[in-house]
Amino acid sequence: MGCAKSGTHSLATMFRNSLRADHEPKAEVLLRLLVDANAGRINESDFRAALVQIFDALDLDLNVSQINGFIMPALVSLYPDARYILTIRDCRSWLYSFVNYQLTMSPTANDSAWPAFRDLRFRPRDFPHTPQDAALEAAKLYSLDAYLAYWLHHNRLVIMTAPPENLLIVPMQRLAPEANRIAAFLGLPPGVADLRESHAHAGLYQASPVDGLDMVYLDDKLAEYEGKLIEAVAARVPKGALDAMILEGR
């Protein structure tokens, strides 16, 4: 259920030899459904019926996708016994990784639903560029608040929606060390994870427009959004636990 660039691809590939696992299966179909539902072109009942049809046809043991985070309320209602793994990453390294990914990813096909989904994620109308975002705007990227608000919303929604007893939160940097704990959560014996795949799909890094931001402004924003997440989920995550997970990535 992790947001994009938080280790979801690695999680799927670690267990693909032990489970029917896939990363972002039927992504275009799900995105079109999600965009249509958000625009009011499909009602909630039909939306959920379509989700059941898609997920049941996939027949996966482990369905790893950032898209799942957007449909958490429906998934929890439709599959009450399901278990959820949230891979989480600190704000700073996540921001650099996602911005880098946007700058290096292949061009999107004209008929793809991904551009509409990106606007749904980052809500440019709600988070327009400020003068402090000049470096991001010049690179044709979203505003800093847009990126960080998505990071906050996605992680908060998963943590607050999933049944606590059926949710495992794993820092992205701990995927390999926590492999046996993840396996146990999935009902698998220790030693089954393919640790060679614990950092799959790593990005090709280049100079980042994030470095063009005022560092005090950036640091303050990162601390603000991480603090908002920790405060928002305090009722679900023991005090200090999420702080430690986020700090570990720095």
Side-chain angles (χ1 to χ4, degrees), residues 163-228:
E165 66 277 9
N166 286 354
L167 174 65
L168 179 67
I169 306 174
V170 184
M172 189 193 78
Q173 292 79 6
R174 299 285 301 170
L175 280 172
E178 298 280 354
N180 286 339
R181 188 164 74 98
I182 299 170
F185 183 75
L186 295 172
L188 298 171
V192 300
D194 185 350
L195 299 186
R196 296 171 299 177
E197 301 289 353
S198 61
H199 194 52
H201 209 57
L204 300 173
Y205 282 86
Q206 60 179 33
S208 177
V210 178
D211 290 326
L213 301 176
D214 178 84
M215 287 296 107
V216 174
Y217 170 70
L218 175 62
D219 289 345
D220 286 347
K221 283 291 185 180
L222 295 172
E224 174 190 345
Y225 279 90
E226 289 182 345
K228 284 181 178 180

Side-chain angles (χ1 to χ4, degrees), residues 50-88:
L51 285 181
V52 170
Q53 185 176 21
I54 294 167
F55 275 73
D56 286 2
L58 286 168
D59 193 28
L60 293 171
D61 300 312
L62 183 60
N63 181 324
V64 186
S65 175
Q66 58 171 306
I67 303 167
N68 293 342
F70 276 80
I71 55 178
M72 274 297 296
L75 291 179
V76 170
S77 174
L78 294 168
Y79 301 99
D81 297 325
R83 295 191 168 198
Y84 303 94
I85 299 174
L86 174 66
T87 51
I88 195 164

Side-chain angles (χ1 to χ4, degrees), residues 47-188:
F47 174 70
R48 294 193 174 202
L51 285 181
V52 170
Q53 185 176 21
I54 294 167
F55 275 73
D56 286 2
L58 286 168
D59 193 28
L60 293 171
D61 300 312
L62 183 60
N63 181 324
V64 186
S65 175
Q66 58 171 306
I67 303 167
N68 293 342
F70 276 80
I71 55 178
M72 274 297 296
L75 291 179
V76 170
S77 174
L78 294 168
Y79 301 99
D81 297 325
R83 295 191 168 198
Y84 303 94
I85 299 174
L86 174 66
T87 51
I88 195 164
R89 188 173 188 174
D90 69 285
C91 244
R92 184 183 300 276
S93 70
W94 174 82
L95 174 67
Y96 272 90
S97 180
F98 196 95
V99 165
N100 179 74
Y101 171 71
Q102 280 196 279
L103 293 173
T104 58
M105 66 183 181
S106 301
T108 305
N110 291 333
D111 60 347
S112 173
W114 281 101
F117 178 58
R118 290 188 200 111
D119 281 349
L120 183 59
R121 277 191 298 192
F122 298 118
R123 298 158 52 199
R125 292 184 180 179
D126 294 333
F127 300 105
H129 292 98
T130 67
Q132 295 95 328
D133 294 320
L136 297 175
E137 187 173 15
K140 303 187 184 307
L141 297 166
Y142 296 96
S143 71
L144 181 59
D145 277 308
Y147 288 112
L148 301 187
Y150 159 65
W151 179 90
L152 168 64
H153 171 77
H154 186 113
N155 290 308
R156 178 176 57 196
L157 181 63
V158 173
I159 293 172
M160 297 307 294
T161 306
E165 66 277 9
N166 286 354
L167 174 65
L168 179 67
I169 306 174
V170 184
M172 189 193 78
Q173 292 79 6
R174 299 285 301 170
L175 280 172
E178 298 280 354
N180 286 339
R181 188 164 74 98
I182 299 170
F185 183 75
L186 295 172
L188 298 171

Side-chain angles (χ1 to χ4, degrees), residues 156 159-160 226-243:
R156 178 176 57 196
I159 293 172
M160 297 307 294
E226 289 182 345
K228 284 181 178 180
L229 177 62
I230 291 166
E231 180 180 357
V233 303
R236 291 286 184 102
V237 182
K239 182 174 177 57
L242 190 61
D243 311 47

